[in-house]
Amino acid sequence: MLPDLSVVWVIVFVLVLSVVLDRLLLRPVTRIMKARESAIGSARELAETSRARAQAAMDEFDAKTRAARAEVYRQMEENRRAALATRAELVAATRSEVERSLGEASVRLRAQTAAARTQLERDADALATTIVERVLDRKAS
């Protein structure tokens, strides 16, 4: 039994339709999908490169920030040490000035004390002589 001629026509139309669909629909869709896939891949690569560059820039920024912070702390420590040294010098100078002034005041006080004692002894002798003369009503020898 021979197949009906309509079956042959259906097979021919199906083959023609498959070729037309392949050329007009499937190949362009496949080409577009491959283009999108490659675009996505290149976008991912670009994003990864940008992320790597951003990470490197952030690491460099962190390193520079740490270095700057360390430099500032070092300068602050130097300034603190210099201020402490200046303070120690001022304290030592003030202490020596106070000790010198205290020594001078001591010397003046001893001199004034000696002068006051001498004056008191003269005044006591004069008073004693005056008292004796008044009590005895004559000059003491």
Side-chain angles (χ1 to χ4, degrees):
M1 151 156 183
L2 276 171
D4 189 15
L5 194 58
S6 65
V7 171
V8 172
W9 280 108
V10 169
I11 292 175
V12 169
F13 280 133
V14 168
L15 289 176
V16 169
L17 182 63
S18 67
V19 168
V20 168
L21 280 177
D22 181 53
R23 299 262 166 116
L24 295 178
L25 183 66
L26 295 178
R27 283 186 187 176
V29 169
T30 306
R31 192 173 358 117
I32 290 172
M33 287 174 55
K34 285 182 181 178
R36 284 185 179 178
E37 194 174 285
S38 68
I40 289 172
S42 65
R44 281 187 180 166
E45 288 176 13
L46 182 62
E48 181 59 31
T49 340
S50 296
R51 188 202 61 78
R53 275 188 281 152
Q55 182 65 39
M58 188 175 72
D59 291 344
E60 180 182 352
F61 174 76
D62 286 344
K64 285 182 180 179
T65 302
R66 275 193 301 276
R69 193 173 287 140
E71 178 65 20
V72 166
Y73 288 149
R74 186 189 61 74
Q75 287 176 355
M76 285 174 55
E77 184 62 23
E78 285 178 9
N79 290 342
R80 186 185 70 79
R81 285 184 186 154
L84 286 176
T86 304
R87 178 181 170 264
E89 290 173 6
L90 287 173
V91 166
T94 304
R95 184 170 282 138
S96 66
E97 179 67 27
V98 166
E99 288 174 357
R100 186 184 58 77
S101 295
L102 189 59
E104 290 174 0
S106 258
V107 167
R108 280 196 312 267
L109 185 61
R110 281 191 215 109
Q112 288 174 355
T113 303
R117 259 196 197 124
T118 306
Q119 184 65 36
L120 281 175
E121 287 175 2
R122 273 189 262 137
D123 288 348
D125 285 342
L127 261 170
T129 304
T130 304
I131 290 173
V132 167
E133 285 176 1
R134 282 195 183 171
V135 170
L136 297 177
D137 212 15
R138 64 182 174 115
K139 263 194 167 181
S141 41

